[in-house]
Amino acid sequence: MRNSSQLCGLNLLVWLGPNYSPLTPRPPRLEDHEILLKFQDPASRNLAFNQLVRKYQRKVYWHVRKMVVDHDDADDLTQDVFIKVWKHLENFRQDAALFTWIYRIATNECLNFLSSKRRKFLLPLTDVGAELAAKIEADPAIAGDEIELKLQQAILRLPDKQRLVFNLRYYDEMPYEQMAEVTGTSVGALKASYHHAVKKVEDYVTRVTAD
């Protein structure tokens, strides 16, 4: 796990301001268009980015965590996401919603991480799924909940991109149109992928429950 106090060579206290302390009252939450406007001004850029991180870091973390399972990996990747957001936000064209754009970055980071891990250790898809399933079984948040454990085991047996589609639709309840912007996939293909994913999950849960 990398040092969480540094991002892109910037100390987190720079984002929060030189007079920040945990007891400092948080400023009112800004709307996305206000964040983007303030980010364009060098005088308010750090404040704007701090607002963006506060607003979206939890959602990004859990989006990533559902894909990579491990907390430390998810924490590192979440930092990587916001590093890229910091680097490229100035050139954000606003042809999509801000959060959709951030989700797209997070999604690419997840898929690249899983692909890189598979190549690095020469692991087939099933072995990566088994490794993630073992981490799920050890997760205290799930321990003792047999139904949730079986559901998570079923989801982890899906191919990465199909698992992504399932998570976006089932957990995030994201509209297909927004999913298309995040994944770069047509609505029709996403609907088909989600349908197949649901069928695989249902079949697995039914089979292991019967056993």
Side-chain angles (χ1 to χ4, degrees):
M1 181 179 178
R2 64 180 69 107
N3 186 345
S4 61
S5 69
Q6 296 290 329
L7 283 180
C8 195
L10 297 172
N11 192 291
L12 281 175
L13 291 180
V14 173
W15 296 358
L16 300 174
N19 299 317
Y20 172 80
S21 84
L23 301 179
T24 302
R26 294 186 178 185
R29 177 167 290 187
L30 301 177
E31 298 296 329
D32 286 352
H33 71 276
E34 295 175 303
I35 291 175
L36 293 171
L37 186 62
K38 287 183 178 295
F39 190 83
Q40 297 301 320
D41 182 356
S44 56
R45 176 164 297 178
N46 289 335
L47 171 63
F49 192 70
N50 175 39
Q51 285 275 329
L52 182 148
V53 172
R54 288 191 189 279
K55 187 173 183 179
Y56 291 125
Q57 64 181 344
R58 182 175 175 82
K59 288 183 178 180
V60 169
Y61 169 83
W62 283 109
H63 173 58
V64 172
R65 179 78 184 269
K66 288 197 291 285
M67 288 298 295
V68 304
V69 177
D70 182 77
H71 162 71
D72 288 343
D73 289 340
D75 196 45
D76 288 346
L77 287 170
T78 299
Q79 291 184 50
D80 290 341
V81 168
F82 284 106
I83 287 171
K84 290 194 172 183
V85 170
W86 169 267
K87 287 181 176 179
H88 301 291
L89 187 60
E90 189 174 15
N91 299 318
F92 174 54
R93 298 192 304 271
Q94 302 186 47
D95 54 352
L98 177 59
F99 186 56
T100 301
W101 179 71
I102 296 173
Y103 243 50
R104 188 186 306 154
I105 294 173
T107 294
N108 289 336
E109 288 295 306
C110 290
L111 295 177
N112 290 339
F113 171 83
L114 293 170
S115 178
S116 175
K117 187 173 186 177
R118 197 170 293 118
R119 288 195 307 271
K120 181 178 180 181
F121 296 103
L122 303 177
L123 295 173
L125 176 64
T126 51
D127 285 356
V128 173
E131 178 190 341
L132 296 178
K135 290 181 178 180
I136 281 287
E137 291 176 12
D139 190 336
I142 294 179
D145 190 335
E146 288 297 322
I147 295 176
E148 181 63 21
L149 179 59
K150 289 181 174 68
L151 175 61
Q152 292 301 321
Q153 289 172 334
I155 295 170
L156 288 173
R157 281 163 171 76
L158 299 173
D160 292 342
K161 291 185 178 179
Q162 197 169 68
R163 182 154 57 94
L164 168 68
V165 170
F166 184 89
N167 288 341
L168 290 175
R169 186 64 181 170
Y170 182 80
Y171 286 110
D172 297 337
E173 299 181 337
M174 187 177 288
Y176 281 111
E177 292 74 16
Q178 189 175 12
M179 289 169 62
E181 293 183 355
V182 169
T183 62
T185 306
S186 71
V187 169
L190 289 169
K191 288 182 177 180
S193 180
Y194 181 68
H195 173 78
H196 292 309
V198 169
K199 183 69 166 57
K200 290 177 184 178
V201 169
E202 288 177 343
D203 288 348
Y204 176 84
V205 172
T206 299
R207 186 172 68 254
V208 297
T209 302
D211 293 343

